[in-house]
Amino acid sequence: MIKTGDKILLAVSGGKDSLSLFHILRHFQATSPVKFELGVVTIDPQVGGFEPQALEGFFKKFDTPYFFEEFPIMEQAKKSMKGDSYCSFCARIKRGLMYQVARREGYNVLALGQHLDDLCESLMMSMFHNGKIQTMKAHYINDSKDLRVIRPMAYVRERQLADFAKSADLPVILDSCPACFSMPGERAYFKKWLLDEEKRVPSLYKNLLSAMKPMLDES
């Protein structure tokens, strides 16, 4: 996923996943023989209840470039969204803004914080609602062929990240997407469903990872 000379822009929302990935990448940056640069971007969707401005003070403690972009995603959704979920619309707008920052600042890789639980939930949603066996890729090139997108924690369980964030006392912004939490949807349903099924089949996530592996890397 990470190659010598890469300039990686990490998307940080303030949730436990992206903040944990920040510390993981900083560790590898300091210890790995693969030398790369790291920057961080936060997209503020200007949704009531979400206050990511506190992150700027946190990142000032580290020698890492930090970019903060604001965009009224909820207002734009009211004007432009047609037959889609708010979360899907928001994700597309955020991704476009991240691409803009990466290109403007000279980064060639965008790192995202989704984990194995996210990938499994996406797989279930795709099969149930779209009739397709697909999920989020762990490593791929964007449509414009100028950026690579990586999800370094594709094999990591959400509960592991929660434990790490707690032990490292990370400044997690709770409910880092209030609009989504106020409109719980299919992802929340499948999250609960999978966790319930894991009680019956302890190897569930391991088995799903094995089934998804051929889909995770574009190459």
Side-chain angles (χ1 to χ4, degrees):
M1 282 189 184
I2 299 176
K3 304 173 184 178
T4 296
D6 276 345
K7 291 189 65 176
I8 300 174
L9 183 65
L10 170 63
V12 172
S13 65
K16 65 184 185 310
D17 306 329
S18 54
L19 284 172
S20 295
L21 182 55
F22 170 69
H23 284 279
I24 292 168
L25 288 175
R26 285 190 71 249
H27 171 75
F28 281 113
Q29 190 179 32
T31 62
S32 171
V34 178
K35 299 306 177 185
F36 61 93
E37 296 181 38
L38 179 64
V40 175
V41 60
T42 295
I43 306 297
D44 180 3
Q46 298 183 332
V47 175
F50 180 40
E51 302 295 338
Q53 292 81 4
L55 290 173
E56 185 172 1
F58 172 74
F59 285 110
K60 280 184 178 179
K61 303 175 185 177
F62 304 95
D63 187 22
T64 303
Y66 180 61
F67 309 99
F68 188 87
E69 300 288 319
E70 296 177 303
F71 188 85
I73 295 179
M74 180 68 83
E75 293 304 312
Q76 188 63 45
K78 293 175 183 178
K79 300 175 184 177
S80 307
M81 198 172 76
K82 297 178 181 178
D84 201 356
S85 71
Y86 171 75
C87 289
S88 296
F89 182 86
C90 179
R92 287 197 303 273
I93 297 295
K94 281 184 177 179
R95 187 69 54 83
L97 293 169
M98 293 170 192
Y99 286 171
Q100 287 181 22
V101 174
R103 290 169 180 140
R104 184 186 74 213
E105 303 297 336
Y107 290 84
N108 68 309
V109 180
L110 177 65
L112 304 175
Q114 285 93 0
H115 43 67
L116 179 56
D117 294 50
D118 289 324
L119 270 61
C120 291
E121 292 154 17
S122 293
L123 175 67
M124 294 296 109
M125 291 166 64
S126 180
M127 290 193 298
F128 273 64
H129 294 289
N130 301 322
K132 296 180 180 179
I133 302 176
Q134 63 183 27
T135 187
M136 294 180 280
K137 292 183 181 295
H139 184 195
Y140 67 95
I141 299 174
N142 69 334
D143 291 339
S144 298
K145 307 300 181 185
D146 62 341
L147 293 169
R148 282 191 294 117
V149 181
I150 62 174
R151 292 184 170 95
M153 300 189 300
Y155 289 12
V156 181
R157 291 299 307 276
E158 182 175 16
R159 59 172 173 253
Q160 293 175 300
L161 296 171
D163 289 343
F164 175 78
K166 183 177 180 180
S167 65
D169 196 26
L170 299 183
V172 174
I173 299 176
L174 297 179
D175 290 2
S176 60
C177 187
C180 288
F181 278 88
S182 67
M183 295 183 286
E186 288 298 283
R187 184 168 293 277
Y189 171 83
F190 281 105
K191 179 184 291 291
K192 182 179 185 304
W193 183 72
L194 284 166
L195 291 174
D196 287 343
E197 284 298 301
E198 186 182 23
K199 298 173 185 176
R200 188 174 64 87
V201 184
S203 62
L204 176 62
Y205 284 84
K206 178 182 178 181
N207 295 342
L208 289 174
L209 174 59
S210 179
M212 290 188 293
K213 275 186 178 180
M215 298 181 281
L216 297 188
D217 196 323
E218 189 170 68
S219 61

CSV table of all heavy atoms in Angstrom, one decimal, residues 59-96:
chain,number,residue,atom,x,y,z
A,59,PHE,N,-3.5,18.7,16.4
A,59,PHE,CA,-2.4,18.4,15.4
A,59,PHE,C,-1.3,19.4,15.4
A,59,PHE,O,-0.2,19.2,14.9
A,59,PHE,CB,-3.0,18.4,14.0
A,59,PHE,CG,-3.8,17.1,13.7
A,59,PHE,CD1,-5.2,17.1,13.6
A,59,PHE,CD2,-3.2,15.9,13.6
A,59,PHE,CE1,-5.9,16.0,13.4
A,59,PHE,CE2,-3.9,14.7,13.4
A,59,PHE,CZ,-5.2,14.8,13.3
A,60,LYS,N,-1.5,20.6,16.1
A,60,LYS,CA,-0.4,21.5,16.3
A,60,LYS,C,0.8,20.9,17.1
A,60,LYS,O,1.9,21.3,17.1
A,60,LYS,CB,-0.9,22.8,16.9
A,60,LYS,CG,-1.5,23.7,16.0
A,60,LYS,CD,-1.9,25.0,16.7
A,60,LYS,CE,-2.5,26.0,15.7
A,60,LYS,NZ,-3.0,27.3,16.3
A,61,LYS,N,0.4,19.8,17.9
A,61,LYS,CA,1.4,19.2,18.8
A,61,LYS,C,2.4,18.3,17.9
A,61,LYS,O,3.4,17.9,18.4
A,61,LYS,CB,0.7,18.3,19.8
A,61,LYS,CG,-0.2,19.0,20.7
A,61,LYS,CD,-1.0,18.0,21.6
A,61,LYS,CE,-2.0,18.7,22.4
A,61,LYS,NZ,-2.8,17.7,23.3
A,62,PHE,N,2.0,18.0,16.7
A,62,PHE,CA,2.8,17.1,15.9
A,62,PHE,C,3.3,17.9,14.7
A,62,PHE,O,2.7,18.8,14.2
A,62,PHE,CB,1.9,15.9,15.4
A,62,PHE,CG,1.3,15.2,16.6
A,62,PHE,CD1,0.0,15.5,17.0
A,62,PHE,CD2,2.0,14.2,17.2
A,62,PHE,CE1,-0.6,14.8,18.0
A,62,PHE,CE2,1.4,13.5,18.3
A,62,PHE,CZ,0.1,13.8,18.7
A,63,ASP,N,4.5,17.4,14.2
A,63,ASP,CA,5.1,18.0,13.1
A,63,ASP,C,4.5,17.4,11.8
A,63,ASP,O,5.2,16.8,11.0
A,63,ASP,CB,6.6,17.8,13.1
A,63,ASP,CG,7.3,18.6,12.0
A,63,ASP,OD1,6.8,19.6,11.5
A,63,ASP,OD2,8.5,18.2,11.6
A,64,THR,N,3.2,17.6,11.6
A,64,THR,CA,2.5,17.1,10.5
A,64,THR,C,1.6,18.2,9.8
A,64,THR,O,0.8,18.8,10.5
A,64,THR,CB,1.5,15.9,11.0
A,64,THR,OG1,2.3,14.9,11.6
A,64,THR,CG2,0.8,15.3,9.8
A,65,PRO,N,1.7,18.4,8.5
A,65,PRO,CA,0.9,19.4,7.9
A,65,PRO,C,-0.6,19.1,8.1
A,65,PRO,O,-1.0,17.9,8.0
A,65,PRO,CB,1.3,19.3,6.4
A,65,PRO,CG,2.6,18.7,6.4
A,65,PRO,CD,2.7,17.8,7.6
A,66,TYR,N,-1.4,20.1,8.4
A,66,TYR,CA,-2.8,19.9,8.6
A,66,TYR,C,-3.7,20.9,7.8
A,66,TYR,O,-3.4,22.1,7.8
A,66,TYR,CB,-3.1,20.1,10.1
A,66,TYR,CG,-4.6,19.9,10.5
A,66,TYR,CD1,-5.2,18.7,10.3
A,66,TYR,CD2,-5.3,21.0,11.0
A,66,TYR,CE1,-6.5,18.5,10.7
A,66,TYR,CE2,-6.7,20.8,11.4
A,66,TYR,CZ,-7.3,19.5,11.2
A,66,TYR,OH,-8.6,19.3,11.5
A,67,PHE,N,-4.7,20.3,7.1
A,67,PHE,CA,-5.5,21.1,6.2
A,67,PHE,C,-7.0,21.0,6.7
A,67,PHE,O,-7.4,19.9,7.0
A,67,PHE,CB,-5.4,20.7,4.8
A,67,PHE,CG,-4.0,20.6,4.3
A,67,PHE,CD1,-3.3,19.4,4.3
A,67,PHE,CD2,-3.3,21.7,4.0
A,67,PHE,CE1,-2.0,19.3,3.9
A,67,PHE,CE2,-2.0,21.7,3.6
A,67,PHE,CZ,-1.3,20.4,3.5
A,68,PHE,N,-7.7,22.1,6.8
A,68,PHE,CA,-9.0,22.1,7.3
A,68,PHE,C,-9.9,22.8,6.2
A,68,PHE,O,-9.7,23.9,5.9
A,68,PHE,CB,-9.1,22.9,8.6
A,68,PHE,CG,-10.4,22.8,9.3
A,68,PHE,CD1,-10.7,21.8,10.2
A,68,PHE,CD2,-11.4,23.8,9.1
A,68,PHE,CE1,-12.0,21.8,10.8
A,68,PHE,CE2,-12.6,23.8,9.7
A,68,PHE,CZ,-12.9,22.7,10.6
A,69,GLU,N,-10.9,22.0,5.7
A,69,GLU,CA,-11.8,22.5,4.7
A,69,GLU,C,-13.2,22.5,5.1
A,69,GLU,O,-13.7,21.5,5.8
A,69,GLU,CB,-11.6,21.6,3.4
A,69,GLU,CG,-10.2,21.5,2.8
A,69,GLU,CD,-9.8,22.8,2.1
A,69,GLU,OE1,-10.7,23.4,1.5
A,69,GLU,OE2,-8.7,23.2,2.3
A,70,GLU,N,-13.9,23.6,4.9
A,70,GLU,CA,-15.3,23.7,5.2
A,70,GLU,C,-16.2,23.7,4.0
A,70,GLU,O,-15.9,24.3,3.0
A,70,GLU,CB,-15.6,25.0,6.0
A,70,GLU,CG,-14.8,25.0,7.3
A,70,GLU,CD,-15.0,26.3,8.1
A,70,GLU,OE1,-14.7,27.4,7.5
A,70,GLU,OE2,-15.5,26.3,9.2
A,71,PHE,N,-17.4,22.9,4.1
A,71,PHE,CA,-18.3,22.9,3.0
A,71,PHE,C,-19.7,22.6,3.6
A,71,PHE,O,-19.8,21.6,4.3
A,71,PHE,CB,-17.9,21.9,1.9
A,71,PHE,CG,-18.8,22.0,0.7
A,71,PHE,CD1,-18.5,22.9,-0.3
A,71,PHE,CD2,-19.9,21.1,0.5
A,71,PHE,CE1,-19.2,22.9,-1.5
A,71,PHE,CE2,-20.7,21.2,-0.6
A,71,PHE,CZ,-20.3,22.1,-1.6
A,72,PRO,N,-20.8,23.3,3.2
A,72,PRO,CA,-22.1,23.1,3.8
A,72,PRO,C,-22.8,21.9,3.1
A,72,PRO,O,-23.7,22.0,2.3
A,72,PRO,CB,-22.8,24.4,3.5
A,72,PRO,CG,-22.2,24.9,2.3
A,72,PRO,CD,-20.7,24.5,2.4
A,73,ILE,N,-22.4,20.7,3.5
A,73,ILE,CA,-22.8,19.5,2.8
A,73,ILE,C,-24.3,19.3,3.0
A,73,ILE,O,-25.0,18.9,2.1
A,73,ILE,CB,-22.0,18.2,3.3
A,73,ILE,CG1,-20.6,18.4,2.8
A,73,ILE,CG2,-22.6,17.0,2.7
A,73,ILE,CD1,-19.7,17.3,3.3
A,74,MET,N,-24.8,19.5,4.2
A,74,MET,CA,-26.3,19.3,4.5
A,74,MET,C,-27.1,20.2,3.6
A,74,MET,O,-28.1,19.8,3.0
A,74,MET,CB,-26.6,19.5,5.9
A,74,MET,CG,-28.0,19.3,6.3
A,74,MET,SD,-28.6,17.6,6.1
A,74,MET,CE,-28.1,17.0,7.7
A,75,GLU,N,-26.7,21.5,3.5
A,75,GLU,CA,-27.4,22.4,2.7
A,75,GLU,C,-27.4,22.0,1.2
A,75,GLU,O,-28.4,22.1,0.5
A,75,GLU,CB,-26.9,23.8,2.9
A,75,GLU,CG,-27.1,24.4,4.2
A,75,GLU,CD,-28.6,24.4,4.6
A,75,GLU,OE1,-29.4,24.9,3.8
A,75,GLU,OE2,-28.9,24.0,5.7
A,76,GLN,N,-26.2,21.6,0.8
A,76,GLN,CA,-26.1,21.1,-0.6
A,76,GLN,C,-26.9,19.9,-0.9
A,76,GLN,O,-27.5,19.7,-2.0
A,76,GLN,CB,-24.6,20.8,-0.9
A,76,GLN,CG,-24.3,20.5,-2.4
A,76,GLN,CD,-24.6,21.7,-3.3
A,76,GLN,OE1,-24.2,22.9,-3.0
A,76,GLN,NE2,-25.3,21.5,-4.4
A,77,ALA,N,-27.0,19.0,0.1
A,77,ALA,CA,-27.8,17.8,-0.1
A,77,ALA,C,-29.3,18.1,-0.3
A,77,ALA,O,-30.0,17.5,-1.1
A,77,ALA,CB,-27.7,16.9,1.2
A,78,LYS,N,-29.8,19.2,0.4
A,78,LYS,CA,-31.2,19.6,0.3
A,78,LYS,C,-31.5,20.0,-1.2
A,78,LYS,O,-32.6,19.8,-1.7
A,78,LYS,CB,-31.5,20.7,1.3
A,78,LYS,CG,-31.5,20.2,2.7
A,78,LYS,CD,-31.7,21.4,3.7
A,78,LYS,CE,-31.6,21.0,5.1
A,78,LYS,NZ,-31.8,22.2,6.0
A,79,LYS,N,-30.5,20.6,-1.8
A,79,LYS,CA,-30.6,21.1,-3.2
A,79,LYS,C,-30.4,20.1,-4.2
A,79,LYS,O,-31.1,20.1,-5.3
A,79,LYS,CB,-29.7,22.3,-3.4
A,79,LYS,CG,-29.8,23.4,-2.5
A,79,LYS,CD,-28.8,24.5,-2.7
A,79,LYS,CE,-28.8,25.6,-1.7
A,79,LYS,NZ,-27.7,26.6,-1.9
A,80,SER,N,-29.4,19.2,-4.0
A,80,SER,CA,-29.0,18.3,-5.1
A,80,SER,C,-29.3,16.8,-4.9
A,80,SER,O,-29.2,16.1,-5.9
A,80,SER,CB,-27.4,18.5,-5.2
A,80,SER,OG,-27.1,19.8,-5.3
A,81,MET,N,-29.6,16.3,-3.7
A,81,MET,CA,-29.7,14.9,-3.5
A,81,MET,C,-31.0,14.4,-4.1
A,81,MET,O,-32.1,14.9,-3.9
A,81,MET,CB,-29.7,14.6,-1.9
A,81,MET,CG,-29.4,13.2,-1.6
A,81,MET,SD,-29.2,13.0,0.2
A,81,MET,CE,-30.8,13.1,0.8
A,82,LYS,N,-30.9,13.3,-4.8
A,82,LYS,CA,-32.0,12.7,-5.5
A,82,LYS,C,-32.0,11.2,-5.3
A,82,LYS,O,-31.2,10.5,-5.8
A,82,LYS,CB,-32.0,13.0,-7.0
A,82,LYS,CG,-32.1,14.5,-7.3
A,82,LYS,CD,-32.1,14.7,-8.8
A,82,LYS,CE,-32.2,16.2,-9.1
A,82,LYS,NZ,-32.1,16.5,-10.6
A,83,GLY,N,-32.9,10.7,-4.4
A,83,GLY,CA,-33.1,9.3,-4.2
A,83,GLY,C,-31.9,8.6,-3.6
A,83,GLY,O,-31.7,7.4,-3.8
A,84,ASP,N,-31.0,9.3,-2.9
A,84,ASP,CA,-29.9,8.7,-2.3
A,84,ASP,C,-29.9,8.9,-0.8
A,84,ASP,O,-30.6,9.8,-0.3
A,84,ASP,CB,-28.6,9.3,-2.9
A,84,ASP,CG,-27.4,8.4,-2.7
A,84,ASP,OD1,-27.5,7.4,-2.1
A,84,ASP,OD2,-26.3,8.8,-3.3
A,85,SER,N,-29.1,8.2,-0.1
A,85,SER,CA,-29.0,8.4,1.4
A,85,SER,C,-28.1,9.6,1.6
A,85,SER,O,-27.2,9.9,0.8
A,85,SER,CB,-28.5,7.2,2.1
A,85,SER,OG,-27.1,7.0,1.8
A,86,TYR,N,-28.4,10.3,2.7
A,86,TYR,CA,-27.5,11.5,3.1
A,86,TYR,C,-26.1,11.0,3.2
A,86,TYR,O,-25.1,11.7,2.8
A,86,TYR,CB,-28.0,12.2,4.3
A,86,TYR,CG,-27.0,13.2,4.8
A,86,TYR,CD1,-26.9,14.4,4.1
A,86,TYR,CD2,-26.2,13.0,5.9
A,86,TYR,CE1,-26.0,15.4,4.5
A,86,TYR,CE2,-25.3,13.9,6.3
A,86,TYR,CZ,-25.2,15.1,5.6
A,86,TYR,OH,-24.2,16.1,6.0
A,87,CYS,N,-25.9,9.8,3.9
A,87,CYS,CA,-24.5,9.4,4.1
A,87,CYS,C,-23.8,9.1,2.8
A,87,CYS,O,-22.6,9.5,2.7
A,87,CYS,CB,-24.6,8.1,5.0
A,87,CYS,SG,-25.0,8.4,6.7
A,88,SER,N,-24.4,8.6,1.8
A,88,SER,CA,-23.8,8.3,0.6
A,88,SER,C,-23.4,9.6,-0.1
A,88,SER,O,-22.3,9.8,-0.7
A,88,SER,CB,-24.7,7.5,-0.3
A,88,SER,OG,-24.9,6.2,0.2
A,89,PHE,N,-24.4,10.6,-0.1
A,89,PHE,CA,-24.1,11.9,-0.7
A,89,PHE,C,-23.0,12.6,0.0
A,89,PHE,O,-22.1,13.1,-0.7
A,89,PHE,CB,-25.4,12.7,-0.6
A,89,PHE,CG,-25.3,14.1,-1.2
A,89,PHE,CD1,-25.6,14.2,-2.6
A,89,PHE,CD2,-24.9,15.2,-0.5
A,89,PHE,CE1,-25.5,15.5,-3.2
A,89,PHE,CE2,-24.8,16.4,-1.1
A,89,PHE,CZ,-25.1,16.6,-2.4
A,90,CYS,N,-23.0,12.6,1.3
A,90,CYS,CA,-21.9,13.2,2.1
A,90,CYS,C,-20.6,12.6,1.8
A,90,CYS,O,-19.6,13.3,1.6
A,90,CYS,CB,-22.3,13.1,3.6
A,90,CYS,SG,-21.0,13.8,4.7
A,91,ALA,N,-20.5,11.3,1.7
A,91,ALA,CA,-19.3,10.6,1.4
A,91,ALA,C,-18.7,11.0,0.1
A,91,ALA,O,-17.5,11.2,-0.1
A,91,ALA,CB,-19.5,9.1,1.5
A,92,ARG,N,-19.6,11.2,-0.9
A,92,ARG,CA,-19.1,11.6,-2.3
A,92,ARG,C,-18.5,13.0,-2.3
A,92,ARG,O,-17.5,13.3,-2.9
A,92,ARG,CB,-20.2,11.4,-3.3
A,92,ARG,CG,-20.5,10.0,-3.7
A,92,ARG,CD,-21.3,9.9,-5.0
A,92,ARG,NE,-22.6,10.7,-4.9
A,92,ARG,CZ,-23.7,10.3,-4.4
A,92,ARG,NH1,-23.8,9.0,-4.0
A,92,ARG,NH2,-24.8,11.0,-4.4
A,93,ILE,N,-19.3,13.9,-1.6
A,93,ILE,CA,-18.8,15.3,-1.5
A,93,ILE,C,-17.5,15.4,-0.8
A,93,ILE,O,-16.6,16.1,-1.2
A,93,ILE,CB,-19.9,16.2,-0.9
A,93,ILE,CG1,-21.2,16.2,-1.7
A,93,ILE,CG2,-19.3,17.6,-0.7
A,93,ILE,CD1,-21.0,16.8,-3.1
A,94,LYS,N,-17.4,14.7,0.3
A,94,LYS,CA,-16.2,14.7,1.1
A,94,LYS,C,-15.0,14.2,0.3
A,94,LYS,O,-13.9,14.7,0.3
A,94,LYS,CB,-16.3,13.9,2.4
A,94,LYS,CG,-17.1,14.6,3.5
A,94,LYS,CD,-17.1,13.7,4.8
A,94,LYS,CE,-17.8,14.4,5.9
A,94,LYS,NZ,-17.8,13.5,7.1
A,95,ARG,N,-15.2,13.1,-0.4
A,95,ARG,CA,-14.2,12.5,-1.2
A,95,ARG,C,-13.7,13.5,-2.2
A,95,ARG,O,-12.5,13.6,-2.5
A,95,ARG,CB,-14.7,11.2,-1.8
A,95,ARG,CG,-13.6,10.4,-2.6
A,95,ARG,CD,-12.6,9.8,-1.6
A,95,ARG,NE,-13.3,9.0,-0.6
A,95,ARG,CZ,-13.7,7.7,-0.8
A,95,ARG,NH1,-13.4,7.1,-1.9
A,95,ARG,NH2,-14.3,7.1,0.2
A,96,GLY,N,-14.6,14.2,-2.9
A,96,GLY,CA,-14.2,15.1,-3.9
A,96,GLY,C,-13.4,16.3,-3.3
A,96,GLY,O,-12.4,16.7,-3.9
